[in-house]
């Protein structure tokens, strides 16, 4: 049935979990933009492209989706993550700012920004963003670990750094 978009999405998730990414993509491509499953399919498709290291294709797809959905904060966040992965932190920070302007106040956003600021050697901003991520989600192992090691490397807040690393 060509109208069973939910079934196609679930099958794509299953094939993704089995690492049969080409098959998953075929199911996702059969979901039209008019479907309520279009955006979840888009996110999964972009993540598959990233998994396949087709980063330019992922960026192109994200750009196309941003033209269609310019207020979607999750797309901007994902674009920032893609830039951060390539160590293009200035571009990532701009995308994260766009995500925040559109309402993203997630711990993941602040963690990602903290990592970028650390890459840029802006340690006060890195620390502020990582701590904000932990305040939002005290179980964020990545933020705990990153901030703990940031402090340990600088020889600051050593008791708290050790506690964060152990918690992570």
């Amino acid at each position: 049935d060509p109208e069973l978009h939910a079934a196609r999405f679930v099958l794509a998730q299953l094939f993704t979990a089995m690492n049969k990414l080409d098959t998953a993509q075929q199911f996702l491509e059969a979901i039209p933009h008019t479907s309520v499953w279009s955006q979840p399919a888009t996110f999964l498709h972009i993540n598959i492209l990233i998994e396949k290291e087709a980063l330019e294709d992922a960026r192109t797809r994200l750009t196309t989706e941003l033209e269609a959905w310019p207020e979607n904060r999750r797309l901007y966040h994902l674009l920032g993550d893609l830039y951060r992965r390539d160590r293009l932190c200035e571009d990532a920070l701009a995308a994260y700012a766009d995500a925040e302007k559109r309402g993203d106040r997630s711990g993941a956003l602040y963690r990602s920004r903290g990592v970028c600021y650390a890459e840029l050697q802006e340690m006060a901003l890195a620390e502020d963003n990582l701590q904000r991520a932990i305040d939002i989600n005290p179980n964020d192992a990545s933020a705990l670990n990153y901030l703990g090691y940031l402090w340990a490397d600088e020889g600051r807040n050593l008791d708290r750094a050790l506690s964060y690393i152990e918690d992570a």
Side-chain angles (χ1 to χ4, degrees):
D1 183 346
E3 298 303 312
L4 289 179
H5 307 145
R8 284 181 177 74
F9 182 76
V10 170
L11 286 168
Q13 287 180 307
L14 290 170
F15 281 107
T16 300
M18 294 186 307
N19 204 33
K20 296 183 183 239
L21 303 179
D22 291 334
T23 303
Q25 283 180 286
Q26 290 172 359
F27 281 105
L28 294 171
E29 289 165 1
I31 299 172
H33 270 31
T34 55
S35 170
V36 297
W37 290 96
S38 174
Q39 282 201 358
T42 294
F43 282 101
L44 182 55
H45 198 171
I46 291 168
N47 282 310
I48 288 170
L49 291 171
I50 292 168
E51 180 72 24
K52 292 171 76 173
E53 298 288 328
L55 302 182
E56 194 55 44
D57 291 341
R59 251 191 234 98
T60 299
R61 180 74 187 257
L62 263 169
T63 301
T64 300
E65 293 302 320
L66 281 167
E67 289 170 6
W69 304 96
E71 293 305 311
N72 189 308
R73 65 181 178 252
R74 292 183 63 216
L75 290 171
Y76 285 101
H77 189 151
L78 186 55
L79 180 62
D81 288 346
L82 194 55
Y83 284 133
R84 183 175 49 84
R85 178 185 175 110
D86 285 341
R87 296 196 186 281
L88 299 171
C89 286
E90 299 285 346
D91 294 328
L93 289 169
Y96 294 144
D98 286 334
E100 187 175 35
K101 283 180 205 166
R102 287 160 178 82
D104 190 344
R105 306 278 188 289
S106 67
L109 176 76
Y110 296 109
R111 179 188 61 238
S112 296
R113 281 199 333 201
V115 170
C116 279
Y117 283 125
E119 289 281 327
L120 295 171
Q121 297 299 307
E122 295 186 38
M123 295 311 182
L125 289 170
E127 183 176 340
D128 289 345
N129 278 273
L130 289 165
Q131 187 60 60
R132 193 161 182 188
I134 294 165
D135 292 343
I136 292 169
N137 178 6
N139 297 316
D140 184 333
S142 295
L144 288 163
N145 193 57
Y146 208 100
L147 185 52
Y149 276 103
L150 188 145
W151 283 335
D153 289 346
E154 293 181 350
R156 297 187 305 115
N157 302 327
L158 293 178
D159 290 339
R160 205 159 149 207
L162 181 59
S163 173
Y164 276 16
I165 294 166
E166 287 172 345
D167 288 348

